[in-house]
Amino acid sequence: MNAKSDVQLPAVSVIMPVLNEERHLRGAVQAILAQEYAGEMEVVIALGPSTDRTDEIAAELVAETASFQSKRVHTVPNPTGRTPAALNAAIKASRHPIVVRVDGHGMLSPNYIATAVRLLEETGAQNVGGIMHAEGENDWEHAVAAAMTSRIGVGNAAFHTGGEAQQAETVYLGVFRREALEQQGGYNEEFIRAQDWELNFRIREAGGLIWFSPELKVSYRPRPNMRELAKQYRNYGRWRHVVARYHEGSINLRYLAPPTAVCAIAAGVVVGALVTPWGFVVPGGYLAAIALGSVPAGRGLPLKARLEIPVALATMHMSWGWGFLTSPRSLARKVIASRRPAVRVDAGQS
């Protein structure tokens, strides 16, 4: 967006929850400070109880920007280490009418904020977001990135696979009008995962528009190994089931595919082992499907990365499905008891 000199651009607060992000924090903040945006900007980092150099790096960033007039970094504590609590703490400490959510391992494209502010104005949306552009730094991460941006990996989720600008159920991260956050009371801190989806659901239920645009892109670093990827997707499935219990009518067929696959494969293995070898057709068919689906997803990647794509796909599908199926009802009861977040996020509280 090329702003005319006589146009006053809205000031922007960038909020960032971090925990053990020494690997990517400096780069993520530098990508924010380098934004092609002429309006005033602040970065609020909510610091969880990290065990690496995250706090030290954050302190360096605060000191380095202390003399800046329009782009400064400051921090707030998040002793719980939980993402929604960090987001609410950062929102409360921020001051500006536009609130941009960024993760400590996310890298904004150079015109991300300028484009998002323009889209908020053009669409009247309460929240806009774009593509979660997964990028790896080694063979395993390249494989996960390919899986996360393919339809066989994540279905028709536009913020993973791209698509036309349109109204959406949810978007990756998000750029919000502050009044929308104030109206909803911020993030529900009972949702350890899926807090973005849940907040966007409440915004939509209140009549607000959530808007996806492929013009917006955030580079994302995948989990560094299979164990961490499995944990990530198990939690995704677990908490997506909590959202489904908390908000009736919020589930769709795409979210039911992984748990259905887990049940079908388990049943096929049991039938194949105890009744007839034909039972193995189901797990065999699944393995063949992900192997074939990984071929187009892996174009241009090294051989080792291409061979690891089916492993990444199976890890994502099975972990998400297992998390969904084993999500305890006690989580939903705890969330429902809270009903609304008990936090005020009014501006000017820093």
Side-chain angles (χ1 to χ4, degrees), residues 31 49 60 71 95 143 159 182 188 222 227 238 271 289 303 306 330 340:
E60 292 171 356
K71 294 183 179 181
R95 302 175 291 117
F159 68 87
E182 292 176 351
N188 190 322
R227 180 179 179 180
R238 186 186 199 199
V271 170
L303 176 60
R306 296 202 303 270
S330 59
R340 288 290 299 275

Side-chain angles (χ1 to χ4, degrees), residues 58-223:
E60 292 171 356
L61 292 166
V62 170
E64 290 165 11
T65 61
S67 62
F68 292 4
Q69 294 298 315
S70 60
K71 294 183 179 181
R72 299 182 64 177
V73 177
H74 57 106
T75 63
V76 292
N78 173 36
T80 70
R82 296 180 174 181
T83 298
L87 291 166
N88 282 340
I91 295 168
K92 185 177 180 181
S94 67
R95 302 175 291 117
H96 298 320
I98 305 296
V99 178
V100 180
R101 179 187 167 175
V102 183
D103 284 342
H105 47 271
M107 307 293 172
L108 300 185
S109 53
N111 63 346
Y112 181 88
I113 291 177
T115 302
V117 171
R118 171 174 60 81
L119 289 171
L120 285 172
E121 179 64 25
E122 290 177 353
T123 65
Q126 299 299 301
N127 181 21
V128 300
I131 295 174
M132 178 182 179
H133 184 62
E135 295 180 325
E137 296 181 339
N138 54 45
D139 287 331
W140 168 253
E141 292 180 4
H142 286 314
V144 176
M148 292 179 69
T149 54
S150 68
R151 290 190 179 276
I152 193 172
V154 294
N156 63 349
F159 68 87
H160 281 295
T161 61
E164 296 181 357
Q166 59 187 299
Q167 182 175 342
E169 289 185 344
T170 191
V171 290
Y172 180 52
L173 301 178
V175 177
F176 299 84
R177 298 179 188 272
R178 178 175 290 275
E179 60 261 32
L181 296 172
E182 292 176 351
Q183 181 184 19
Q184 294 303 324
Y187 291 84
N188 190 322
E189 295 185 14
E190 297 300 328
F191 282 87
I192 308 306
R193 297 290 187 273
Q195 66 275 153
D196 296 295
W197 205 102
E198 194 275 337
L199 173 59
N200 283 317
F201 183 89
R202 283 188 279 126
I203 291 173
R204 289 189 289 111
E205 288 289 286
L209 174 66
I210 310 298
W211 189 259
F212 165 81
S213 174
E215 293 183 74
L216 299 172
K217 182 184 292 187
V218 182
S219 294
Y220 169 86
R221 299 290 185 256
R223 294 299 192 268

